[in-house]
Amino acid sequence: MMDQLMGMMAGTLFPDIYFAKVNGTLLGDKVAENAPYNVLHFPSMKFYVDMFPRDIAGGGFNAEALVAFLKAFMTSPVTAIETRQAKQAQAGKLRGAAVVFYSPEAKGPMYDLFYKAARRYQLMVPFFHVTNPKVASSFGIVEEAPALALVRPSQRPVLFPTPSGLKQQARLAVEDVAQWVELNRHGLVDEINAANLVEMYRSPKLVLAMVDFSRDEHASDKLLGLLRSVAKRYQESREVSFHFVDTSFGQFWSIVKVPQADAPCIIGFPIDMGTVYRYPKDEQNPLEVNAVDRWVKTIIAGTAQGQKRSAPAPTAAENAKPLKTVTLETFDDMVLGHQGVALVKFYSPSCPHCVALAPTYEELAAAYADQKDVLIAQYDGAANDLPSQLATKVNGYPTVMRWSAGPKSVQTTPATFKGARTLEELKSFVEEGRKPVKED
């Protein structure tokens, strides 16, 4: 499937992009050492800009998302702003950090460095070029040209590093500009989008403003301002980070299972627990700084109360076939309460590897249909939150796990299937679970 997708893009959609495939088994220890490839798992897809690797996040190997990602990269990474009206038109990009270069014209050694740095951070941080001193002043830049600054709403711009430094162009390299951007780009509340989804893993607990600027810009901006006020209290904390997500990044909304019609709202997302908590927003929890702050503390402490997402439990008739469907609501009874071997496939309907495994897994279920001590089941991870005890154990799809009943049933530490996804290997995994469990 990946070969077909890459062949289609290389041949017709993106003839100017070089596509390559690497057999990871031939890289040996270079992958294990995580340098210089930065490959953490297979399959992985990287996009290199001037030999600088970028993860293709938010779309995985979904053709539509991948094409959109690459098309965005084919546009200029720098937006020219000549008037204050043009700046106003970019208001949506100015809710987070932005890099502004003020110079008389769009050429020269320093502009080239600025442009190359913009390519590295394209879709993650907006880069603007300004030639008009009045427009530069509206960004808070009062220095003489050339001047490079990182700007944020209601904050003083961060200059690189002094205006005179920009004139020593022969001593500067793109790494100098890129490192300065990396050091300063994270603010109180950063945006998460398809290009920087990995940003959310900077801390184990997330608090997010889920907003819809196209439908209700005023309410969304008001909520974002509230969250910034709360985030100021946690500037030195490594336990929690604050972000906002717009409805334009619909895939993330589907991940956290928040209807876009509910925007704007606040959610807590402890990654290490796999649970999404909605801020209650009731009489006891008004939308004000102190109340939200108290709620954030419960997210950090792990004491927040929230309703986990569970798909509707299937009826007896719907679950009469050999392959059973398990939801979060039915997990304890069907899996942990099963007297025998329980095999569960955790999957996502949009995952191509899950789709490829489906026929083999159905064959497996049919093979054990008449054996009551064996449960072959599937768990839709896109429709259900993970059980709390599995939040850090299911790290990708598909994941197949086995529970074995007995005196030492390893209910809290199930065995994870690591073999080839063939019928024979899966059967062997089931039979291993049928062996008597010895007590210590």
Side-chain angles (χ1 to χ4, degrees), residues 185-426:
R185 69 188 179 92
H186 296 301
L188 290 172
V189 183
D190 292 328
E191 182 177 12
I192 289 178
N193 55 41
N196 69 349
L197 187 60
V198 293
E199 295 291 312
M200 63 187 279
Y201 294 102
R202 283 194 291 135
S203 63
K205 321 283 186 184
L206 304 182
V207 176
L208 305 114
M210 309 297 287
V211 295
D212 188 344
F213 291 116
S214 63
R215 180 173 59 86
D216 197 337
E217 183 175 12
H218 175 73
S220 295
D221 275 327
K222 185 177 179 180
L223 186 70
L224 197 51
L226 169 66
L227 200 61
R228 285 196 180 103
S229 297
V230 176
K232 286 180 181 178
R233 302 181 177 186
Y234 296 88
Q235 282 182 277
E236 303 303 319
S237 173
R238 296 186 177 182
E239 294 181 296
V240 63
S241 58
F242 296 80
H243 305 267
F244 71 93
V245 185
D246 186 51
T247 50
S248 58
F249 186 21
Q251 184 186 3
F252 189 85
W253 290 70
S254 64
I255 291 173
V256 297
K257 291 296 181 293
V258 175
Q260 294 189 3
D262 289 358
C265 62
I266 298 176
I267 67 169
F269 186 25
I271 296 175
D272 52 348
M273 294 176 63
T275 306
V276 175
Y277 299 99
R278 291 282 295 272
Y279 182 71
K281 199 170 64 172
D282 51 27
E283 291 184 3
Q284 288 75 37
N285 299 277
L287 272 177
E288 61 91 19
V289 174
N290 289 332
V292 174
D293 184 19
R294 287 193 297 270
W295 177 77
V296 169
K297 285 180 170 60
T298 68
I299 296 293
I300 295 173
T303 59
Q305 298 298 312
Q307 184 177 2
K308 284 197 169 188
R309 297 172 292 119
S310 178
T315 64
E318 291 170 336
N319 243 1
K321 55 189 177 182
L323 179 56
K324 311 301 181 185
T325 295
V326 176
T327 67
L328 178 64
E329 180 184 341
T330 64
F331 181 83
D332 285 359
D333 287 341
M334 289 188 64
V335 178
L336 301 187
H338 180 70
Q339 296 302 305
V341 175
L343 196 72
V344 182
K345 176 188 71 174
F346 296 87
Y347 75 102
S348 170
S350 62
C351 163
H353 303 290
C354 300
V355 173
L357 176 60
T360 302
Y361 201 73
E362 288 182 1
E363 274 190 75
L364 179 71
Y368 286 98
D370 298 328
Q371 302 181 44
K372 302 302 182 184
D373 65 318
V374 176
L375 170 72
I376 307 295
Q378 59 184 1
Y379 189 103
D380 185 350
N384 300 270
D385 281 334
L386 289 171
S388 298
Q389 67 268 39
L390 299 180
T392 59
K393 294 182 172 65
V394 178
N395 299 314
Y397 298 126
T399 293
V400 178
M401 288 184 167
R402 184 194 67 216
W403 284 261
S404 305
K408 300 290 185 182
S409 62
V410 295
Q411 298 289 11
T412 57
T413 54
T416 301
F417 178 70
K418 296 181 180 179
R421 294 169 186 161
T422 64
L423 183 60
E424 292 73 20
E425 291 271 348
L426 287 166

